[in-house]
Amino acid sequence: MSDDVRSEIRAALNERRLVPVVGVGVSRAAAGLPTWWEAVDAARRHLERTKAVDAGELAEAARLLDAGDLVTAAALLTGRLKDLREWGAWLRGAFRMERGGVRDWRLPSAVFELMCPLLATTNYDPILSFDSLMPREAVSWDRPASMQAALRDSGGVLHLHGVWDKPDTVVFGTGDYDRLAAEESYESVMRALWLDRTLLFIGCSFDGMQDPDIGRLLAWAGKTFGQNQFRHYALLPTAECPPDRVAHLLRQRIQVIDYGPDPGTLPEFLRSLNPSLRTAQIAAVTRAREIVERHDPGDTALLAQLFDQVVPREHRTITVADAAAQVLADRSASAERRRQELFHLQRVAGSMVDRAAMHWVTLERDTYRPVDEESRPRFRATAVRMWSAWQLFPKPLLDALHQRGVQIHRGFLESNLGYFVREVVITADEGGERLGNPDHVDPLDKPYTVQNVQRLASSLESVLAADPFTAFPVPAAGLGSVPAGPSLIVARGDRAEIRAADNLAVPSAALRAGTGALRRIEAIAWRGKTYLTGYSPSAAYLWEPQASLEPAQIHESADGGRVKSVAHIVQGDALHTFVLTEQTIEYLMDFGPRNALALGYNNLAELAALPGPTFVLHDMNDGDRLRGERGTLLTTDQVLTFLAAYETRPDLTSVHISDIHPASMAGRAVLCVTILINRRAGDGYDYRSGVLLAELLGSRLNPFAFLPLPVENAYSVRLQDVTGGFRLVCGAEPGPGDARKPMVFWSAPFPAQGQGLLAVEGSALPEEAMWAVAAPAGEDSIIAALRGNENTLWRVNLKNGRAELIARFADPPIRWLEFAAL
């Protein structure tokens, strides 16, 4: 093929006026569908099986087939099939095709990658409507207005000879061709194609191009435009390119292009003509990533097709259909889904890159030296493949890997460094040769660009090397047996230890989370049972301890963000859960995802669940405040106003919200708000903490009580019902001057409907520690934990303030505890 011909085809593609005319060779290569001769013979054999046709007619059809008179044979058989009402059944058996039935996507993908706005075909099957890059509507000749609209708007697949599932449109025998010739609107469409577009015949044999319909078009064109300078093109194998055939088609203004002796080379030959190949491959990778993110098992066949399209044949080490099925398999546990997703995407992406070249880019290049001219093609080609492989991984998966310690450069998670890599990718072809204006600056002349390609290489190497079982470990089975009755549940490392109330020194059982350190643990009464819930930075967990020592449910953030806070509330028969991450608030019903609210910023520290169900957020943006779905519920100015009504000291200057915890008391929905108080003290400030109680009334929070604490920071707050009222139990986090002060406080009982200040009734645990957390264990005692040089558990008698040491142990450290009846 001359360079002039190649340039003409590439120009037609760039100008979006080239229309591929796809013949049966494409469908045969892709799915083994019959050639025209095989289709006619299949119709004969179908009638033979019915036993309803005279043997003489069948013998005549066979004779016509042997003589090469396919049109007459097809006309004879079509008439009998229609007479017996078997026409539709035969078409369905011969040409019906689903996306998953295509066994080789190489040739269809090469056609799709041309990214032509309009396709045309003489085939009856729907394979061209399976375009992986753009949706295409099949339009048949019986809808002339739609065909004209497709020509004008440049969209769809023109089925010139009909579609199998519309039997009346299928052009098969002499009568059908005569009927087609009488359609003036169809004739006008065909002539418009010839005059206004550049046609490229793909998978059409020389004989196929002489059929009564196409042949008539060619005869008209040769007679009318015999001396025209413009040409159309046909890709034919060497065996079909003798000089007489080439000359015959050239007289009809079709230039034959010999693509070689082996039909299997046609896909790569087609790609060699394609100026949009890089754009098409980037589009394919982007579409694949969108499908992975959507995670709909119904997309398996399309994902397999895209994987087939983006994985180079020379690197093919996987079965793409299996990989796609595994990525989109329906799994109830999100950790299992992420594990499987990572494993199979690693296999696909790993097959797309040259690992040795990627390693060369990562480690064997000096970051601060320009890439020498000899090495630039290899460097560009490696960047192209690495970027395509990187684009396969959905961002939630990359975020989840990053938070689990996989070394991914944050600039690629935030997309601000991708610009520099894309600059290299869009100026290079698959072989690494530079594209575009040679007078423009080569991106590889910029050290920062080279550095970011290297960052991409090292990030991709880390992702490909990540162990799915380490990144998303399988929760280990629990240990021991769960005691019946009152128990202490301690969040310690990645486990929830359960200790019987009558033997707190020894764990009875341990429930494993499997990922990260549990931040909190709490008991929930739901559907007549007691469940335990907890969360780590990567997931939220639900256990039914009396039924199993493994989590009943695991929920990982859908967007891959770090879990910052989880809150639950039971209303009626339903468990409502809100999960706050850096990017979303996810709402779960009965621990199953329902919807998510995207956040425009990540300055939210914590959330609590209240009746409604609704949630309250601690928003540190524009000053501390608590807000809900309908607006601000509580500001620090409101807190100051409330405190001023009960405080007599004038030096109260400001407060800061630090923690929120929901509670209920005598039917009231209460929020415990831990605050830090600033007071003027001499030349500086005196910082103290306290707990404000606010009741949810309609859509606002109404402060009604306050407990001041003689420490700088309160760490945990629990509201405990007592006879006729309530008390608060608090664990403290000492400030700079508080190291020797008691670590646990409890208030005097306070009337259920009381308003005003609460008094500290007692304190305990004077040991130095980082913080303390406490939980009520009946009206007269509390259980407390200290975390310092070692971990300690204590029981505190609220009547006399005496603390009894229960246990002392080393890491993993305690994060939270809960006292509940299991």
Side-chain angles (χ1 to χ4, degrees), residues 331-670:
R331 299 180 179 92
S332 58
S334 54
E336 169 68 6
R337 171 185 161 184
R338 291 291 191 212
R339 185 162 51 249
Q340 294 282 354
E341 184 179 58
L342 173 61
F343 177 75
H344 293 287
L345 287 180
Q346 283 174 326
R347 298 179 68 206
V348 175
S351 297
M352 295 171 64
V353 296
D354 183 331
R355 305 294 281 271
M358 183 168 66
H359 188 73
W360 167 74
V361 168
T362 307
L363 297 178
E364 299 182 17
R365 289 250 354 112
D366 186 336
T367 302
Y368 300 102
R369 292 178 57 191
V371 182
D372 59 75
E373 289 298 328
E374 184 180 349
S375 299
R376 289 192 178 200
R378 185 186 184 194
F379 194 91
R380 289 193 197 96
T382 305
V384 166
R385 291 194 172 184
M386 288 192 307
W387 185 245
S388 293
W390 180 260
Q391 292 292 97
L392 266 188
F393 292 93
K395 187 176 184 299
L397 178 61
L398 293 175
D399 286 337
L401 289 172
H402 180 67
Q403 76 179 48
R404 288 161 173 78
V406 176
Q407 297 301 305
I408 301 172
H409 196 284
R410 187 143 193 106
F412 290 106
L413 299 177
E414 297 168 352
S415 300
N416 58 327
L417 294 186
Y419 165 81
F420 299 97
V421 180
R422 286 194 298 271
E423 195 176 24
V424 176
V425 170
I426 63 177
T427 58
D429 64 16
E430 282 292 298
E433 295 301 321
R434 188 180 170 208
L435 304 174
N437 191 333
D439 295 330
H440 291 171
V441 175
D442 187 339
L444 296 187
D445 288 335
K446 305 173 185 177
Y448 193 59
T449 297
V450 174
Q451 185 179 29
N452 282 304
V453 173
Q454 292 177 306
R455 286 171 171 164
L456 173 66
S458 62
S459 296
L460 182 57
E461 280 194 322
S462 296
V463 171
L464 293 178
D467 177 15
F469 286 93
T470 301
F472 305 104
V474 179
L479 302 171
S481 57
V482 176
S487 299
L488 179 68
I489 303 99
V490 181
R492 184 169 172 237
D494 68 344
R495 73 198 67 165
E497 292 182 350
I498 302 177
R499 297 166 179 255
D502 56 3
N503 188 11
L504 292 173
V506 179
S508 299
L511 310 177
R512 297 290 298 275
T515 56
L518 285 174
R519 296 298 179 88
R520 291 206 179 184
I521 195 81
E522 62 181 304
I524 292 177
W526 177 40
R527 294 177 178 172
K529 301 178 182 178
T530 299
Y531 289 83
L532 293 179
T533 72
Y535 72 92
S536 70
S538 60
Y541 304 89
L542 179 73
W543 288 274
E544 186 185 351
Q546 293 292 1
S548 174
L549 297 178
E550 295 185 21
Q553 295 284 346
I554 301 175
H555 173 77
E556 286 199 327
S557 168
D559 64 12
R562 180 175 64 88
V563 177
K564 300 169 73 173
S565 180
V566 176
H568 312 271
I569 187 167
V570 175
Q571 282 199 193
D573 199 38
L575 171 63
H576 304 271
T577 301
F578 301 96
V579 179
L580 172 66
T581 75
E582 293 172 321
Q583 302 170 44
T584 58
I585 299 171
E586 298 176 9
Y587 170 53
L588 316 181
M589 172 78 81
D590 296 343
F591 230 74
R594 293 297 295 272
N595 55 48
L597 171 66
L599 303 175
Y601 52 90
N602 61 0
N603 215 15
L604 301 173
E606 194 170 11
L607 90 171
L610 291 172
T614 187
F615 57 81
V616 177
L617 295 161
H618 176 199
D619 185 353
M620 297 188 294
N621 198 48
D622 298 328
D624 274 356
R625 59 179 176 165
L626 299 181
R627 66 183 181 92
E629 295 172 281
R630 294 181 292 277
T632 301
L633 296 170
L634 188 68
T635 66
T636 51
D637 286 342
Q638 289 173 272
V639 175
L640 281 170
T641 301
F642 173 80
L643 294 180
Y646 294 96
E647 289 268 10
T648 57
R649 299 174 60 185
D651 52 1
L652 180 64
T653 60
S654 65
V655 297
H656 298 281
I657 298 170
S658 61
D659 185 72
I660 54 178
H661 185 75
S664 61
M665 177 185 64
R668 302 166 73 182
V670 176

Side-chain angles (χ1 to χ4, degrees), residues 187 190-192 194-195 215-225:
E187 199 72 19
M190 294 296 287
R191 295 187 180 191
W194 187 270
L195 295 174
R216 188 175 62 252
L217 174 67
L218 298 186
W220 166 80
K223 179 180 178 181
T224 309
F225 303 102

Side-chain angles (χ1 to χ4, degrees), residues 643 647 655-656 658 673-679 686-692 706-715 717 730-735 738 745 760:
L643 294 180
E647 289 268 10
V655 297
H656 298 281
S658 61
V673 184
T674 306
I675 58 177
L676 178 65
I677 303 171
N678 298 347
R679 296 182 183 277
D686 177 29
Y687 299 99
R688 289 291 181 267
S689 61
V691 181
L692 181 78
F706 178 68
L707 170 67
L709 295 171
V711 288
E712 185 169 321
N713 295 300
Y715 182 79
V717 178
C730 305
E733 178 183 351
D738 299 332
F745 302 86
V760 174

Side-chain angles (χ1 to χ4, degrees), residues 36-330:
W36 194 15
W37 190 96
E38 290 170 339
V40 177
D41 189 53
R44 182 189 63 79
R45 286 185 282 108
H46 182 91
L47 286 171
E48 190 175 51
R49 287 193 296 272
T50 66
K51 308 295 185 182
V53 179
D54 183 76
E57 287 186 76
L58 296 175
E60 175 61 11
R63 186 191 67 77
L64 291 169
L65 267 173
D66 291 341
D69 191 354
L70 303 185
V71 178
T72 306
L76 187 155
L77 297 169
T78 301
R80 298 302 284 139
L81 285 166
K82 290 181 178 179
D83 178 58
L84 294 170
R85 299 183 179 179
E86 283 290 299
W87 178 234
W90 172 72
L91 288 173
R92 177 184 177 87
F95 299 104
R96 181 178 180 271
M97 177 58 56
E98 301 290 342
R99 189 188 299 269
V102 177
R103 63 194 187 197
D104 189 342
W105 284 105
R106 282 179 295 175
L107 189 48
S109 292
V111 174
F112 300 152
E113 287 166 355
L114 295 172
M115 299 190 78
C116 295
L118 188 66
L119 301 177
T121 182
T122 54
N123 301 338
Y124 314 132
D125 61 77
I127 288 177
L128 292 185
S129 295
F130 300 155
D131 193 335
S132 56
L133 305 182
M134 60 182 73
R136 294 187 183 274
E137 180 187 3
V139 181
S140 184
W141 63 270
D142 65 323
R143 295 165 55 195
S146 297
M147 292 189 83
Q148 290 170 349
L151 274 172
R152 184 184 64 248
D153 301 333
S154 295
V157 181
L158 301 182
H159 279 266
L160 305 178
H161 291 170
V163 188
W164 76 266
D165 59 353
K166 296 179 179 178
D168 289 343
T169 69
V170 173
V171 176
F172 197 61
T174 311
D176 298 324
Y177 283 109
D178 292 342
R179 183 161 51 104
L180 202 59
E183 290 284 343
E184 292 184 6
S185 57
Y186 173 78
E187 199 72 19
S188 68
V189 168
M190 294 296 287
R191 295 187 180 191
L193 275 174
W194 187 270
L195 295 174
D196 297 337
R197 300 290 198 276
T198 297
L199 305 182
L200 178 65
F201 292 86
I202 304 170
C204 299
S205 66
F206 178 84
D207 290 338
M209 294 172 67
Q210 309 306 309
D211 85 347
D213 180 32
I214 301 297
R216 188 175 62 252
L217 174 67
L218 298 186
W220 166 80
K223 179 180 178 181
T224 309
F225 303 102
Q227 300 302 320
N228 196 307
Q229 61 178 317
F230 299 108
R231 296 175 295 186
H232 302 281
Y233 304 92
L235 303 180
L236 296 177
T238 303
E240 295 206 33
C241 298
D244 59 329
R245 290 188 171 188
V246 174
H248 174 77
L249 289 175
L250 191 57
R251 292 188 188 99
Q252 297 170 324
R253 308 312 300 138
I254 294 179
Q255 173 68 61
V256 170
I257 299 173
D258 180 352
Y259 65 77
D262 182 5
T265 64
L266 179 54
E268 288 309 311
F269 186 87
L270 204 52
R271 288 189 171 96
S272 73
L273 302 176
N274 187 0
S276 302
L277 185 60
R278 285 296 309 128
T279 302
Q281 291 175 336
I282 291 171
V285 170
T286 302
R287 187 88 191 275
R289 187 180 68 248
E290 291 171 353
I291 290 170
V292 172
E293 289 176 340
R294 188 166 63 229
H295 201 84
D296 182 349
D299 290 329
T300 298
L302 176 55
L303 185 61
Q305 177 184 345
L306 288 162
F307 282 173
D308 190 280
Q309 198 164 332
V310 300
V311 177
R313 290 280 154 177
E314 66 269 24
H315 293 174
R316 188 64 62 89
T317 58
I318 63 169
T319 302
V320 292
D322 290 347
Q326 288 299 320
V327 169
L328 297 185
D330 188 14

